[in-house]
Amino acid sequence: MNMKIEMPVLPYADNALEPVISRETIGYHYGKHLQNYVNTLASLVKDTPWSAKSVEELVAEVPEGPLFNNAGQTLNHALYFTQFMPAKADNQPTGTLLELINRDFGSFDTFKEQFTQAALTLFGSGWAWLAQQQDGRLVIRKESNAGNPLRNNETPLLGIDVWEHAYYIDYFNRRADHVQAVWQIINWQVVADRLKG
Ligand code: MN
């Protein structure tokens, strides 16, 4: 990706992820929270040398603080909102991505268990990520707040937002129920397309 500071286009209707993620949650999470991160980032880089950089470059390079927080959240949510599709039973990856998951985690079920554990044990606000290291290995990462694996030179493949704003309208405090339901709407083809050569 070579992302500009702008809203990603949703590849589905705003009610297409129901009942896993409601239209109301999309309205707030995409329409208000993400729009605010994008607007804030645009105003922070305006008339600075950072304005020539892609969002990925900003995430990798800027110092900790408001600029990193808003760049991180702009990238994180662009990855997040474009990785979903309408719910599907027995949804799982195929092909090369499945082979890599089997190689690095043992099985898809084991990967799901470990990823879910990461998402549920992340204290406070943050993200659980499936990422690819430079050597090609897949790893699970827990990142606080706006963290993204790109910051450590790893490629983000799949990110689950565990800020309360991602699930509170639909699940209240039940983060575990939300994370369990989200597996039905992962567009694994999109995730696979993020693998590096
Ligand atoms: Mn969010």
Side-chain angles (χ1 to χ4, degrees), residues 29 33 37 73 77 127 161 163 165-166:
H29 195 190
H33 289 278
Y37 296 131
Q73 287 295 69
H77 288 88
W127 294 77
D161 188 345
W163 287 57
H165 69 218

Short mmCIF file of all heavy atoms in Angstrom, two decimals, residues 29 33 37 73 77 127 161 163 165-166, ligand 1:
data_model
loop_
_atom_site.label_atom_id
_atom_site.label_comp_id
_atom_site.label_asym_id
_atom_site.label_seq_id
_atom_site.Cartn_x
_atom_site.Cartn_y
_atom_site.Cartn_z
N HIS A 29 -17.96 4.17 14.02
CA HIS A 29 -16.54 3.77 13.99
C HIS A 29 -15.86 4.27 12.72
O HIS A 29 -14.79 4.88 12.77
CB HIS A 29 -16.47 2.24 14.11
CG HIS A 29 -15.11 1.71 14.43
ND1 HIS A 29 -14.81 0.39 14.38
CD2 HIS A 29 -13.97 2.34 14.82
CE1 HIS A 29 -13.54 0.22 14.73
NE2 HIS A 29 -13.01 1.38 14.99
N HIS A 33 -15.18 8.08 14.18
CA HIS A 33 -13.84 7.89 14.74
C HIS A 33 -12.77 7.96 13.65
O HIS A 33 -11.81 8.71 13.77
CB HIS A 33 -13.75 6.55 15.48
CG HIS A 33 -14.52 6.53 16.77
ND1 HIS A 33 -14.01 7.04 17.95
CD2 HIS A 33 -15.76 6.06 17.05
CE1 HIS A 33 -14.90 6.88 18.91
NE2 HIS A 33 -15.97 6.30 18.40
N TYR A 37 -9.69 10.73 12.89
CA TYR A 37 -8.24 10.45 12.78
C TYR A 37 -7.69 11.00 11.46
O TYR A 37 -6.60 11.58 11.42
CB TYR A 37 -7.97 8.94 12.83
CG TYR A 37 -8.33 8.25 14.12
CD1 TYR A 37 -9.09 7.08 14.12
CD2 TYR A 37 -7.88 8.72 15.35
CE1 TYR A 37 -9.40 6.41 15.30
CE2 TYR A 37 -8.19 8.07 16.54
CZ TYR A 37 -8.96 6.92 16.50
OH TYR A 37 -9.27 6.26 17.67
N GLN A 73 -3.60 5.23 13.59
CA GLN A 73 -5.03 4.92 13.55
C GLN A 73 -5.61 5.06 12.14
O GLN A 73 -6.54 4.33 11.77
CB GLN A 73 -5.79 5.79 14.55
CG GLN A 73 -5.57 5.40 15.99
CD GLN A 73 -6.12 4.02 16.33
OE1 GLN A 73 -5.61 2.99 15.87
NE2 GLN A 73 -7.18 3.99 17.12
N HIS A 77 -7.11 1.55 10.68
CA HIS A 77 -8.53 1.45 10.31
C HIS A 77 -8.72 1.23 8.81
O HIS A 77 -9.70 0.62 8.39
CB HIS A 77 -9.30 2.68 10.79
CG HIS A 77 -9.49 2.69 12.27
ND1 HIS A 77 -8.56 3.24 13.12
CD2 HIS A 77 -10.49 2.21 13.06
CE1 HIS A 77 -8.98 3.09 14.37
NE2 HIS A 77 -10.15 2.47 14.36
N TRP A 127 -4.73 -3.16 19.49
CA TRP A 127 -4.96 -3.99 18.31
C TRP A 127 -4.25 -5.33 18.45
O TRP A 127 -3.11 -5.38 18.90
CB TRP A 127 -4.39 -3.29 17.06
CG TRP A 127 -5.11 -2.02 16.71
CD1 TRP A 127 -4.98 -0.81 17.32
CD2 TRP A 127 -6.08 -1.86 15.68
NE1 TRP A 127 -5.82 0.10 16.71
CE2 TRP A 127 -6.49 -0.52 15.71
CE3 TRP A 127 -6.64 -2.72 14.72
CZ2 TRP A 127 -7.45 -0.02 14.82
CZ3 TRP A 127 -7.57 -2.23 13.84
CH2 TRP A 127 -7.98 -0.89 13.90
N ASP A 161 -9.43 -4.60 15.96
CA ASP A 161 -9.49 -3.42 16.82
C ASP A 161 -10.17 -3.82 18.12
O ASP A 161 -11.32 -4.28 18.11
CB ASP A 161 -10.32 -2.35 16.08
CG ASP A 161 -10.31 -0.99 16.76
OD1 ASP A 161 -9.91 -0.90 17.92
OD2 ASP A 161 -10.74 -0.03 16.08
N TRP A 163 -10.24 -1.55 20.74
CA TRP A 163 -10.75 -0.35 21.42
C TRP A 163 -12.25 -0.58 21.66
O TRP A 163 -12.94 -1.15 20.81
CB TRP A 163 -10.58 0.88 20.53
CG TRP A 163 -9.20 1.42 20.36
CD1 TRP A 163 -8.10 0.75 19.90
CD2 TRP A 163 -8.77 2.76 20.62
NE1 TRP A 163 -7.02 1.61 19.86
CE2 TRP A 163 -7.40 2.84 20.29
CE3 TRP A 163 -9.42 3.91 21.09
CZ2 TRP A 163 -6.66 4.01 20.42
CZ3 TRP A 163 -8.69 5.07 21.22
CH2 TRP A 163 -7.32 5.13 20.90
N HIS A 165 -14.64 1.32 21.28
CA HIS A 165 -15.51 1.90 20.26
C HIS A 165 -15.79 0.93 19.10
O HIS A 165 -16.71 1.14 18.33
CB HIS A 165 -14.95 3.24 19.74
CG HIS A 165 -13.69 3.17 18.93
ND1 HIS A 165 -12.69 4.11 19.02
CD2 HIS A 165 -13.26 2.29 18.00
CE1 HIS A 165 -11.71 3.80 18.18
NE2 HIS A 165 -12.03 2.71 17.55
N ALA A 166 -14.97 -0.12 18.98
CA ALA A 166 -15.16 -1.09 17.90
C ALA A 166 -16.34 -2.02 18.16
O ALA A 166 -16.89 -2.61 17.21
CB ALA A 166 -13.89 -1.91 17.70
MN MN B 1 -11.18 1.85 16.02
#
